């Protein structure tokens, strides 16, 4: 018999799931995931778009559930699929009240699934949309710290609302730059992984007032549930780890991160 996993805790203070991909969940029915998520006092969920073919599905999820919000944007992996038609659809969808950010946008020079120059061009175009529509952004960056810093320094001063560098795994220079420019940093199950001391070091340095909680479900399931598909209801483990790393009361983490989420996404 394997060791029994600790049950998922439920806290009095509500949590906001700031980054997941509900349309990618496979192991459970969505209604069951949402029911369990609410049962663990995760009050609001932001589900993220990444590609032309899921702009509409995430929007429909948000339109049909009062506690779900969404984003509209093209991930750097899919930057090669950017077109005038895609931009037109994003522009139209950004007008919907359930859309709270432009994202997931950014740069990924680790996988390079789209050519670097195209990634940069599409990232900038979507930052321009955020400026035009006065919306925050959800940024993905991997192995692209230097370019991300350069682009954020150029565009952030023109942005009424900034947003979040999600699933933060980058270096301390990018962390400091993003925080100084007014962005939040998103932390998820990675902070519970044994080999992620670099991420915990950034979290330790990041002011609690700039921390957002996320899962990035169905990816990056936190300990002690690694190996299972991730879901928003695992967020309490992320919150607990933030409190441990920051050496502060869990209640303070929950209250502060809740308010951070409301402020970041204008909820």
């Amino acid at each position: 018999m394997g060791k029994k996993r600790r049950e998922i805790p439920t806290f009095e203070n509500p949590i906001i799931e700031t980054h997941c991909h509900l349309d990618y969940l496979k192991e459970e029915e969505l209604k069951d995931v949402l029911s369990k998520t609410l049962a663990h006092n995760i009050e609001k969920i932001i589900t993220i778009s990444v590609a032309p073919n899921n702009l509409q599905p995430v929007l429909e999820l948000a339109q049909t559930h009062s506690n779900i919000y969404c984003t509209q944007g093209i991930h750097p992996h899919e930057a090669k699929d950017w077109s005038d038609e895609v931009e037109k659809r994003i522009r139209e969808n950004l007008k919907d009240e359930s859309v709270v950010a432009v994202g997931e946008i950014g740069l990924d020079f680790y996988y390079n699934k789209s050519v670097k120059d195209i990634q940069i061009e599409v990232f900038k175009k979507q930052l321009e949309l955020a400026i035009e529509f006065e919306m925050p952004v959800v940024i993905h960056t991997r192995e692209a710290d230097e370019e991300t810093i350069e682009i954020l320094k150029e565009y952030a001063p023109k942005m009424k609302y900034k947003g979040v560098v999600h699933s933060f795994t980058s270096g301390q220079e990018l962390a400091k730059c993003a925080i100084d420019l007014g962005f939040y940093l998103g932390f998820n199950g990675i902070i519970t992984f044994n080999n992620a001391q670099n991420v915990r070091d950034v979290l330790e340095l990041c002011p609690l007032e700039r921390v957002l909680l996320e899962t990035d479900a169905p990816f990056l399931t936190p300990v002690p549930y690694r190996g299972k598909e991730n879901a928003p209801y695992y967020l309490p483990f992320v919150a607990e780890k933030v409190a441990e790393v920051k050496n502060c009361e869990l209640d303070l983490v929950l209250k502060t991160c809740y308010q951070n989420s409301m402020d970041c996404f204008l909820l």
Side-chain angles (χ1 to χ4, degrees):
M1 290 249 325
K3 184 179 171 187
K4 191 175 188 304
R5 288 183 169 118
R6 182 177 157 229
E7 285 190 10
I8 304 164
T10 305
F11 307 129
E12 272 188 42
N13 289 307
I15 306 175
I16 296 175
E17 159 70 291
T18 63
H19 193 114
C20 66
H21 303 274
L22 292 178
D23 57 318
Y24 284 7
L25 297 171
K26 293 186 178 73
E27 289 184 5
E28 287 181 277
E29 291 284 334
L30 181 62
K31 62 179 174 55
D32 296 330
V33 171
L34 296 178
S35 173
K36 282 170 75 171
T37 298
L38 276 172
H40 289 289
N41 206 15
I42 288 97
E43 183 185 88
K44 298 176 175 68
I45 299 170
I46 301 174
T47 189
I48 307 292
S49 81
V50 292
N53 67 3
N54 86 325
L55 293 169
Q56 207 59 35
V58 300
L59 181 62
E60 287 170 11
L61 273 171
Q63 287 172 331
T64 53
H65 296 81
S66 60
N67 65 327
I68 297 177
Y69 302 85
C70 74
T71 67
Q72 292 285 290
I74 303 299
H75 190 286
H77 288 349
E78 321 299 335
K80 60 187 179 298
D81 297 328
W82 182 267
S83 66
D84 290 345
E85 175 57 32
V86 169
E87 180 176 343
K88 186 181 172 187
R89 282 165 58 201
I90 291 173
R91 282 178 165 279
E92 194 56 41
N93 291 349
L94 287 176
K95 298 170 189 172
D96 192 285
E97 61 183 13
S98 59
V99 179
V100 294
V102 176
E104 176 175 355
I105 66 177
L107 305 172
D108 193 312
F109 298 163
Y110 180 80
Y111 285 108
N112 273 323
K113 291 188 177 181
S114 291
V115 176
K116 283 186 182 184
D117 287 350
I118 293 174
Q119 289 189 44
I120 290 169
E121 180 190 355
V122 172
F123 184 21
K124 288 180 174 181
K125 281 185 174 178
Q126 293 183 97
L127 286 169
E128 286 164 6
L129 283 176
I131 292 164
E132 180 184 339
F133 282 84
E134 297 188 343
M135 298 185 83
V137 293
V138 175
I139 295 172
H140 169 108
T141 178
R142 189 167 184 191
E143 302 291 335
D145 287 23
E146 192 178 320
E147 292 84 356
T148 302
I149 288 169
E150 187 181 324
I151 291 169
L152 291 185
K153 281 182 174 177
E154 179 186 352
Y155 283 87
K158 297 179 274 188
M159 298 171 71
K160 183 174 181 182
Y161 302 106
K162 304 304 191 284
V164 59
V165 183
H166 108 94
S167 190
F168 198 90
T169 55
S170 299
Q172 293 187 11
E173 186 186 355
L174 175 53
K176 185 177 185 310
C177 172
I179 292 164
D180 288 348
L181 289 170
F183 289 86
Y184 295 84
L185 305 185
F187 294 95
N188 52 40
I190 291 175
I191 61 170
T192 70
F193 299 175
N194 286 335
N195 63 349
Q197 188 56 45
N198 62 316
V199 182
R200 287 187 287 275
D201 288 344
V202 170
L203 172 58
E204 196 174 349
L205 294 170
C206 182
L208 187 58
E209 291 72 27
R210 289 283 145 194
V211 172
L212 295 185
L213 304 176
E214 60 166 75
T215 62
D216 205 12
F219 316 106
L220 306 173
T221 313
V223 174
Y225 285 84
R226 283 198 79 176
K228 291 179 72 70
E229 182 176 80
N230 202 2
Y233 51 73
Y234 289 130
L235 260 180
F237 293 116
V238 179
E240 285 184 330
K241 195 66 176 181
V242 169
E244 180 189 317
V245 172
K246 300 293 288 176
N247 192 26
C248 63
E249 292 292 328
L250 178 60
D251 275 0
L252 179 62
V253 168
L254 294 170
K255 287 175 182 173
T256 306
C257 290
Y258 183 92
Q259 191 58 51
N260 294 348
S261 306
M262 297 290 284
D263 293 344
C264 178
F265 294 106
L266 314 172
L267 297 175

